Amino acid sequence: MKDRGKLVIWPAYIDKTKSRKDGRIVSRKTSVESPTITEINQAATKLGLNPEVEADKAYPKSWWDTKGRVLIDNTAPKTHHCRRICSAIKEMRS
């Protein structure tokens, strides 16, 4: 399997405008508003997570919207990486 050893990061995981029911896995306080694949990729690169972008993928809960996903190294729990990516995106935006 291609994804073995990788974690999938969908933009919905860290999107402040999404509810937990819609797929957000971090708190609203931690999350960022409308993250893009390029921002997630840049943040993951900055954190040394070896990201791979798959722009043609759609999050299963919103299958009609192909925003893409980012695959990162599986070195820690997904929520830990998502929090780190959120803080890196906030730093890049400011």
Side-chain angles (χ1 to χ4, degrees):
M1 189 167 151
K2 180 181 165 187
D3 300 343
R4 188 167 295 280
K6 297 283 188 176
L7 291 175
V8 177
I9 305 296
W10 297 98
Y13 287 172
I14 60 174
D15 192 348
K16 186 179 274 191
T17 62
K18 302 280 186 192
S19 66
R20 293 272 184 168
K21 184 179 176 184
D22 291 333
R24 184 173 44 84
I25 63 172
V26 295
S27 68
R28 284 202 195 270
K29 181 180 173 184
T30 307
S31 58
V32 293
E33 192 165 329
S34 301
T36 63
I37 291 297
T38 54
E39 286 178 324
I40 296 170
N41 184 35
Q42 289 171 353
T45 302
K46 183 179 175 182
L47 296 170
L49 299 174
N50 301 322
E52 297 174 27
V53 176
E54 294 182 340
D56 60 336
K57 301 292 184 179
Y59 185 56
K61 284 191 177 193
S62 57
W63 53 268
W64 59 90
D65 192 12
T66 56
K67 290 186 177 181
R69 68 181 184 178
V70 178
L71 301 173
I72 60 171
D73 290 339
N74 186 6
T75 56
K78 187 181 288 188
T79 53
H80 176 73
H81 283 310
C82 286
R83 287 186 196 112
R84 290 178 61 209
I85 287 171
C86 286
S87 64
I89 290 173
K90 285 179 181 179
E91 187 177 301
M92 289 186 317
R93 286 184 177 179
S94 62

